[in-house]
Amino acid sequence: MKITLDWLRDHLDGDFTVADVVATLNRIGHEVEGVENPAEKLAGFRVAKVLTAEKHPQADKLRVLTVDAGDGIAPLTVVCGAPNARAGLVGVLGLPGAVVPANGMELKVAAVRGIESNGMMCSTRELELGDDHDGIVELPADAPVGMPFADYAGANDPVVDISITPNRQDCMGVRGIARDLAAAGLGTLKPLGVPTIAGTSAPSTEIRTDDVEACPAFFGRTVSGVINGTAPEWMRRRLEAVGQRSISALVDISNYVMFDLGRPSHIYDRAKLSGALVARRARQGETATALNGKQYTLADTMTVIADEREVHDIAGIMGGEHSGCSETTTDILIEIAYFTPERIALTGQALGLSSDARSRFERGVDPAFLDDATAIVTQHILTICGGTPSSVTRAGTPPAEVKTVDYDPSLSATLGGIAIAPERQKDILASLGFGVIEQGGRWQVSVPSWRRDIDGAPDLVEEVTRITGFDAIASVPLPRADGVAKPTATPEQLTERRLRRAAAAAGFDEAVTWSFIGEAEAAPFGGGAWSLANPISEDLKVMRPSLLPGLLAAAARNQNRGAESIRLFEIGRRYLTDAEHPTLAVLMAGDRHARGWQAGKAAPFDAFDAKATALALLGEAGAPADRLQVMEAVTTGNIWHPGQSATLRLGPKAVLAEFGALHPALTRAFDVDGPVMAVQIFLDAIPAKRASGPARAAFAPPALQSVRRDFAFLAPTSLTAAELVRAIRGADKASIVDARLFDRFAGQGVPEGQVSLAVEVELQPVDKSFTDAELKAIADKVVAAAAKVGAVLRG
């Protein structure tokens, strides 16, 4: 929301500067995003008069001008190529040192075809005041020569850009901002002048609402005999200052009232209407061409403004191309309607269509302001365009019931943290438009019609405290016990900290992605269990069922910017039907290592990289990584690549993690190139550590050296190496401290359907060294344990 200082003074009486406005707005909860003074870019430009204009001796299309800059010094010589440059013309001169707004060029004294030029006579486009570049600016003959052009053009009017929070729909107009500033003590709010305009006859076009749920009130009147020329210069200047392009008097009037009073309206060319103008539900599949030139296909849940022939307006969002006003318009219809905010928001989201009108209607305009707005818009039209107005048609009734809130003034201290005198609170509420009636120590506060965000007493506390100033809240230290503070992090938080450090130490970059994703992104993961009814964007509608969509989108962005090796991780929550689940996700894409003289070609990540990462992080999380079983991945849809993915389980049902290659269809859907490896560790599935007992004894290294023995087994291909290693470890738990696979071979010399698995077994003697008989007995146990799972010792 942008306002100008001069525009603000129309509503706020007082002696204040732009710095006062900015400081007060920030203090009362309206964040100022920036301040820009158009006069600053026009510094160095002044009103000047051309005294003589002679043809350049070295160029047919150039003229040599002598220009009076109004500084009492000798006239300046300026070389100019504009066709309208002539003696007696009053225009705009850019002096040496000035910077041309349109292109950022700094003007200097320079020779042009042998003649020194001391500046530049400027066109409208060069000053960014319009699109005309056919000649230099021509000002009235009585324009004061020597005056800074910014002052002459009224451009010395600072523009303040304010971030309005979604709940403050009343501040979507200059008057709403002025009301808050007046309540904060910066000036006095001027009364709003509402004219009384009696129509000469009934409207020439019937107006009605057939969709009272979405459009409970539709007011309008016709005006005949208007002349749709150019809006006044003051109105065009203000609109352009806040980013609106001037189009025509009628369109500019509608836009001006919207930014001035926060009240959108629409003006139709009555010659382009056929029959009654009706607010109704759209028909399924009906189309409308909006003012932006785009055609939209409508649903039967949307509201439109239509006549007997076609749709003319996507209600509350954007007018139609067919019925807009042009320079030939003479008879018009003014629409002032109230639309249900929720319906406007849903329609805008479904169509992906934003506008200034939508941003106001979906927040909720003042339902009690329809009559006044109709009169104000009509008065502007009669003043600028002329014409004869009809009486006002009022179809439907706006929801303007008065809301009353029970309020205890002591809440400002107990809830807001500031003890504010009751009389001061009453003054603040009254200045914001609230009515206060005292009843037995408590107040009955009537809420103004423009404040639909006020629901209860805490909202009133917010109003009185923000106007008083949140900086008035005293700093009070929290109570603290004597001695050293106790740790406050939970075991879950400590685990997440360890995992973050471990993942970063392993070379992964932490990503923080949105907890909300689009429906299309959630679909491959089984869809989202929870969706927002009113999201800020359709791309942020579904609470994520997995962390992988966000990481895939991040990987795609990195690849698009040339990243060749992507290693990302994120710790966050998945939102499933039963609850939210803490999860660690890892994603690897591109090259594991770059090409080089040692390794040769670059090598991509594979499923074993994902497995190693999963086991390492599970170990950091406190899971018994050496006892986990590798089992087939079971997921919904095409998430994991079949044969290149698996789960890590503690027992057949407790799934702690899933890892492997993502399905190619999934990576293509997210526009990620090449094989992509991923890991998801389900932190809430990891068994919690038992309550700590007595401290363990200090580690004492064994006195005797361990013994290693190698075994080679023939096993069916259906037997996993992990099952064999786990069986061998359990063959003699007193003596076997470790077992690991160090070779796998299939091919010549190995029967078909079998594979050779070589396992190294580490034995640790305790009191004395193993004898040959003891080693043989242990070896027999190892062979027997392997046989139980289907492996036989290779001859």
Side-chain angles (χ1 to χ4, degrees):
M1 174 67 192
K2 292 183 177 181
I3 65 172
T4 74
L5 192 63
D6 181 60
W7 199 340
L8 181 65
R9 294 186 191 279
D10 281 0
H11 297 278
L12 193 63
D13 192 11
D15 183 16
F16 50 83
T17 65
V18 67
D20 298 330
V21 172
V22 170
T24 306
L25 286 172
N26 282 319
R27 179 170 61 83
I28 63 177
H30 297 303
E31 181 183 356
V32 175
E33 295 188 331
V35 179
E36 178 184 353
N37 191 343
E40 293 175 356
K41 65 181 181 181
L42 294 175
F45 296 87
R46 64 176 60 182
V47 178
K49 183 175 183 178
V50 179
L51 301 178
T52 65
E54 304 293 338
K55 181 182 175 182
H56 194 294
Q58 302 296 328
D60 292 338
K61 294 185 178 181
L62 297 180
R63 288 178 172 82
V64 180
L65 314 179
T66 56
V67 181
D68 179 8
D71 52 9
I73 308 176
L76 300 174
T77 300
V78 177
V79 178
C80 180
N84 64 330
R86 64 188 185 276
L89 180 146
V90 178
V92 181
L93 171 67
L95 296 171
V99 177
V100 180
N103 54 26
M105 178 181 69
E106 181 179 350
L107 300 179
K108 299 178 180 179
V109 177
V112 181
R113 295 288 183 94
I115 295 181
E116 186 177 81
S117 181
N118 297 275
M120 182 175 76
M121 297 297 290
C122 302
S123 70
T124 302
R125 184 193 297 177
E126 288 162 340
L127 297 175
E128 291 188 337
L129 299 177
D131 297 326
D132 184 18
H133 194 57
D134 294 333
I136 57 177
V137 175
E138 295 193 38
L139 300 178
D142 59 352
V145 175
M147 173 181 282
F149 178 66
D151 294 339
Y152 175 79
N156 193 10
D157 188 12
V159 179
V160 183
D161 190 0
I162 310 166
S163 177
I164 304 298
T165 54
N167 64 313
R168 292 305 307 276
Q169 72 286 340
D170 59 305
C171 288
M172 293 297 287
V174 177
R175 185 165 183 81
I177 297 294
R179 183 187 296 110
D180 265 22
L181 290 172
L186 191 72
T188 304
L189 185 68
K190 296 180 180 179
L192 180 64
V194 179
T196 301
I197 300 175
T200 58
S201 62
S204 305
T205 301
E206 179 188 355
I207 299 170
R208 70 173 190 270
T209 175
D210 292 347
D211 184 6
V212 293
E213 178 187 350
C215 180
F218 186 2
F219 288 14
R221 78 180 339 150
T222 58
V223 182
S224 302
V226 301
I227 299 174
N228 188 24
T230 303
E233 190 273 335
W234 63 268
M235 181 178 286
R236 297 199 313 271
R237 186 175 66 246
R238 286 183 176 180
L239 288 174
E240 288 166 358
V242 299
Q244 289 293 304
R245 181 171 61 91
S246 176
I247 298 173
S248 69
L250 291 172
V251 175
D252 289 357
I253 289 168
S254 179
N255 286 335
Y256 182 81
V257 173
M258 176 172 63
F259 284 97
D260 187 43
L261 303 175
R263 209 323 146 183
S265 60
H266 193 68
I267 301 174
Y268 299 88
D269 186 335
R270 198 154 55 82
K272 300 175 183 179
L273 301 178
S274 177
L277 194 65
V278 183
R280 62 167 173 83
R281 290 287 181 95
R283 302 181 182 94
Q284 189 68 32
E286 195 170 23
T287 61
T289 302
L291 284 170
N292 60 8
K294 297 181 180 180
Q295 187 177 77
Y296 296 90
T297 301
L298 309 174
D300 57 8
T301 57
M302 302 173 182
T303 302
V304 298
I305 309 298
D307 62 11
E308 297 175 354
R309 184 176 57 225
E310 60 187 335
V311 172
H312 290 290
D313 191 348
I314 302 173
I317 300 178
M318 189 171 289
E321 187 178 55
H322 303 301
S323 56
C325 297
S326 66
E327 66 277 3
T328 61
T329 299
T330 57
D331 297 332
I332 62 171
L333 187 149
I334 304 169
E335 169 212 309
I336 304 286
Y338 179 86
F339 299 107
T340 305
E342 294 78 9
R343 293 288 299 277
I344 297 299
L346 292 172
T347 299
Q349 290 162 9
L351 296 177
L353 181 58
S354 298
S355 67
D356 291 312
R358 173 191 164 184
S359 68
R360 287 160 175 79
F361 277 123
E362 70 182 357
R363 297 176 188 223
V365 299
D366 184 358
F369 194 63
L370 274 70
D371 271 317
D372 290 350
T374 303
I376 292 170
V377 171
T378 303
Q379 185 61 60
H380 279 303
I381 292 172
L382 297 179
T383 302
I384 297 170
C385 304
T388 303
S390 73
S391 59
V392 177
T393 295
R394 299 173 179 83
T397 304
E401 298 82 6
V402 177
K403 183 190 302 183
T404 303
V405 175
D406 183 60
Y407 179 65
D408 183 351
S410 65
L411 288 173
S412 71
T414 58
L415 189 60
I418 309 176
I420 305 172
E423 286 305 313
R424 174 57 183 153
Q425 293 190 53
K426 190 180 295 184
D427 290 341
I428 291 173
L429 292 174
S431 64
L432 291 172
F434 294 85
V436 179
I437 300 176
E438 294 189 48
Q439 293 181 347
R442 299 184 70 87
W443 296 356
Q444 293 297 314
V445 180
S446 57
V447 180
S449 56
W450 57 83
R451 292 300 301 270
R452 70 186 294 264
D453 59 306
I454 303 296
D455 285 327
D459 296 318
L460 298 179
V461 172
E462 179 185 1
E463 292 302 300
V464 297
T465 52
R466 74 178 181 87
I467 295 299
T468 301
F470 290 123
D471 52 356
I473 300 176
S475 298
V476 179
L478 294 172
R480 178 173 177 175
D482 295 334
V484 178
K486 295 180 179 180
T488 57
T490 65
E492 292 79 11
Q493 292 171 328
L494 294 174
T495 298
E496 291 185 6
R497 290 179 188 176
R498 287 198 307 273
L499 289 172
R500 280 191 172 91
R501 288 195 294 268
F508 292 93
D509 297 310
E510 184 173 10
V512 180
T513 65
W514 293 104
S515 296
F516 297 96
I517 59 177
E519 291 180 328
E521 294 174 315
F525 298 86
W530 306 98
S531 298
L532 295 179
N534 186 25
I536 60 174
S537 167
E538 287 296 309
D539 294 332
L540 299 172
K541 184 175 183 177
V542 178
M543 300 190 77
R544 63 186 178 192
S546 169
L547 272 64
L548 294 180
L551 292 181
L552 283 166
R557 287 192 295 272
N558 280 272
Q559 282 188 343
N560 292 339
R561 287 159 178 77
E564 296 180 351
S565 181
I566 299 170
R567 305 165 185 249
L568 300 174
F569 81 94
E570 180 175 11
I571 297 178
R573 301 294 186 268
R574 296 176 300 130
Y575 302 92
L576 306 183
T577 305
D578 58 338
E580 59 181 74
H581 298 270
T583 305
L584 165 61
V586 175
L587 186 137
M588 295 169 277
D591 300 334
R592 183 198 306 119
H593 60 76
R595 64 179 181 174
W597 63 270
Q598 290 177 307
K601 293 182 178 181
F605 293 102
D606 58 29
F608 292 105
D609 295 314
K611 179 183 178 183
T613 300
L615 289 172
L617 294 176
L618 281 167
E620 287 290 337
D626 58 337
R627 294 193 287 115
L628 298 180
Q629 303 177 37
V630 179
M631 301 182 70
E632 183 181 0
V634 180
T635 57
T636 302
N638 293 328
I639 300 177
W640 299 102
H641 193 302
Q644 297 185 32
S645 59
T647 58
L648 290 170
R649 307 190 185 203
L650 191 61
K653 294 184 179 180
V655 179
L656 302 192
E658 52 190 10
F659 68 90
L662 295 177
H663 199 286
L666 179 65
T667 58
R668 283 196 300 270
F670 282 85
D671 198 23
V672 181
D673 297 331
V676 179
M677 306 301 140
V679 176
Q680 279 202 127
I681 297 176
F682 310 124
L683 301 180
D684 53 348
I686 299 174
K689 290 185 177 181
R690 297 178 180 176
S692 58
R696 294 183 300 174
F699 171 73
L704 301 174
Q705 186 174 351
S706 62
V707 179
R708 289 181 173 84
R709 290 289 185 268
D710 295 341
F711 296 84
F713 297 97
L714 285 175
T717 55
S718 59
L719 179 67
T720 65
E723 291 179 271
L724 177 60
V725 170
R726 188 165 50 251
I728 291 173
R729 281 177 178 160
D732 188 340
K733 294 182 179 180
S735 302
I736 298 175
V737 295
D738 194 16
R740 70 179 185 87
L741 180 77
F742 69 88
D743 185 53
R744 183 185 186 278
F745 176 74
Q748 187 177 0
V750 177
E752 186 177 352
Q754 291 189 319
V755 64
S756 174
L757 300 175
V759 180
E760 179 188 75
V761 180
E762 183 178 0
L763 310 174
Q764 179 62 59
V766 180
D767 299 325
K768 61 184 182 65
S769 299
F770 290 119
T771 63
D772 290 343
E774 289 171 336
L775 290 175
K776 184 178 184 307
I778 295 172
D780 291 340
K781 292 180 181 179
V782 169
V783 172
K788 290 181 179 179
V789 294
V792 297
L793 190 65
R794 188 174 180 184

